[in-house]
Amino acid sequence: MSYRIPFNRPCLAGNEYKYIAEAIANGHASGDGPFTRKCHELLEKELGAPRVLLTTSCTHALEMAGLLLDCGPEDEVILPSFTFVSTANAFALRGARLVFADIRPDTLNLDESRLESLITSKTKAIVVVHYAGVACEMDTILAIAFRHGIQVVEDNAHGLFSRYKGGYTGKFGCLATQSFHETKNFTCGEGGALVVNDVQLLERALVIREKGTNRSRYFRGEVDKYTWVDLGSSYLPSDLLAAFLYAQLEARVKIQEKRRQVWNRYYESLADWAQSNDVKLPVIPPECEQAHHMFYLLLPSIEHREWLITELKAQGILSVFHYSPLHLSEAGKKFAARASNCPVTEEISERLLRLPFYNDLSENEQESVTDAVKNFRLRRRAIA
Ligand SMILES: Cc1ncc(COP(=O)(O)O)c(C=O)c1O
C-alpha cells in the first residue's frame, strides 16, 4: 500500500549526486577513500572525538564494540529491553549473557535509579540507548559504572549531535555507535560509525574493521605486508556511500533546523489535544538538547493505538510503533542472564506511536497528520 504521507521519506541535502560522481571519478569505490576520510574528519572535529570510523551500519559498529570489549560467555552486559535488536545481538553474538534493564517512564531511557541492582561480578559493560536522541542520565550512569569498573557503550543510533549538559552524546562512553540508516537524521541508506573515545581501543578497532588484519599499519608504512592478527570482519563502507553521507553531514545545520521545526510544530499543535485526551508527548529534560529524531505519542492503551493507526491509515498516513520488549522475545529469553523485570517497558511499548517524520515533511502534510490525530476522538472510542 502506498501512503499519501509515508512514515519516512529519504531526503536529499543537495550535493549527493555530485559527490557520488566525484567518488566514481576518483576511482576509489572501496572503503577508506577520500570521502570516508572527509566524513571521519568532519565527525571527529564536530564531536571533538579522538577517532570516528565509518561502518556499514550501527549494527556493525555495535558488533565491533562487542569484539573490542572482549565480551564472552562469562560476561554479562546490561542494556535496556526497550531498544532495537542490534543493541542486544552484538553482545549475544560474543556469547555474553544479557541483563535487560527497565526504562524511565518520562524519557524512555534506561532507568538509572535501578541500574546498580542489576550489576554483578560478571558485568562487563552497560550499553545505554539515547532514545529518540534524548540523552540518558549520564552523570549517574557513569558514576555507577566507574564505581564498579564497568565500561559504558552508547548506542547513539538516534542521537547524533544531541547534547547532555552541553556535551555531545557519543562522547561519554569508551565507545559509541551511530546509525546512518535511511530513517535517521543523516543517511546514506545503510551506514554507521564507531566513535572511539578510549584511544587504547583504537589500534584494535582498526584491525577488527579491516577483517582482523593489520592493513592500516601497512598503509601507514609500519609493516611491509599485512596479515591476519585478530578476529574481525568487513565493517568499512564503500566510498560511494561515504560520498552520499558527506553531502548530508555537510548540511547538518540545515537538516537539524528543519527537523527542529517539524518536531516543534507537532508539539505545539498536539499539546492541548494530548492533555485533554490523556495522551503523553515526549519529555525533554532541561539538561538535554535533543536530536529531533522522532515524534511519538503515548496513547492511553493498546486499543487506542490500534484505532489511531487504522484511522490514520484510512487517510493515507502511515504511523508506526516499536520496540517489542526484547526481554519478552524468543531470543531475549534465550540469551538473558536471568529472568527480567521490566514493567515500564512492557506498558510503554504497547502505547507508543510514532508519527511521520522526515526532513522535508511540509507544513501542509504535517497539518494533515495533526488534523487527523486531533479529529480522532480518543475519549469517545474509549467509552464506546
Ligand atoms: C537504538 C538502535 N540501535 C541500533 C540500530 C541499528 O542501526 P542500523 O540500521 O544502522 O544497523 C537501530 C536501528 O534503528 C536502533 O534504533
Side-chain angles (χ1 to χ4, degrees), residues 129-355:
V129 176
H130 302 299
Y131 182 70
V134 178
C136 296
E137 181 30 49
M138 290 313 292
D139 276 356
T140 312
I141 293 169
L142 290 174
I144 293 171
F146 182 75
R147 229 177 7 256
H148 293 269
I150 298 167
Q151 302 278 29
V152 173
V153 175
E154 298 173 76
D155 177 343
N156 200 23
H158 303 173
L160 185 59
F161 304 137
S162 68
R163 290 176 190 261
Y164 169 78
K165 298 191 176 172
Y168 278 124
T169 55
K171 283 294 305 302
F172 294 95
C174 61
L175 296 166
T177 63
Q178 304 294 156
S179 175
F180 301 119
H181 179 261
E182 187 176 81
T183 50
K184 302 302 186 295
N185 296 21
F186 311 95
T187 177
C188 56
E190 299 276 358
L194 182 72
V195 181
V196 185
N197 293 316
D198 179 350
V199 285
Q200 290 182 23
L201 297 172
L202 178 59
E203 201 49 50
R204 201 160 157 244
L206 294 171
V207 167
I208 288 170
R209 184 166 165 270
E210 269 284 19
K211 299 102 183 158
T213 71
N214 57 354
R215 200 173 184 184
S216 58
R217 290 194 68 198
Y218 171 71
F219 285 139
R220 294 200 303 265
E222 292 169 15
V223 288
D224 56 7
K225 61 177 175 7
Y226 71 89
T227 182
W228 186 28
V229 294
D230 202 342
L231 284 178
S233 190
S234 185
Y235 289 129
L236 63 172
S238 159
D239 216 47
L240 303 186
L241 285 179
F244 194 109
L245 181 63
Y246 187 66
Q248 300 252 314
L249 291 176
E250 162 188 88
R252 61 195 174 283
V253 175
K254 205 166 107 196
I255 288 174
Q256 290 301 72
E257 175 55 22
K258 279 187 184 181
R259 297 186 76 95
R260 190 184 68 82
Q261 286 176 15
V262 170
W263 198 96
N264 285 346
R265 280 201 297 266
Y266 268 140
Y267 196 92
E268 281 155 23
S269 169
L270 295 174
D272 289 345
W273 167 84
Q275 200 169 21
S276 49
N277 283 284
D278 200 17
V279 174
K280 300 272 177 302
L281 299 186
V283 172
I284 318 295
E287 63 276 17
C288 298
E289 286 167 48
Q290 61 150 325
H292 301 106
H293 172 54
M294 68 168 89
F295 196 89
Y296 62 82
L297 309 173
L298 288 177
L299 295 157
S301 72
I302 192 166
E303 288 80 18
H304 288 96
R305 181 171 77 179
E306 292 313 313
W307 290 330
L308 187 51
I309 290 174
T310 309
E311 179 66 25
L312 293 175
K313 192 171 170 183
Q315 299 190 39
I317 299 166
L318 179 59
S319 58
V320 303
F321 59 84
H322 74 174
Y323 299 108
S324 294
L326 289 183
H327 72 284
L328 298 180
S329 69
E330 198 180 323
K333 285 180 188 154
K334 188 163 154 195
F335 298 116
R338 49 190 165 273
S340 315
N341 180 25
C342 306
V344 181
T345 302
E346 287 174 29
E347 200 255 329
I348 292 281
S349 66
E350 294 201 327
R351 301 195 287 116
L352 186 140
L353 186 67
R354 294 173 65 184
L355 298 179

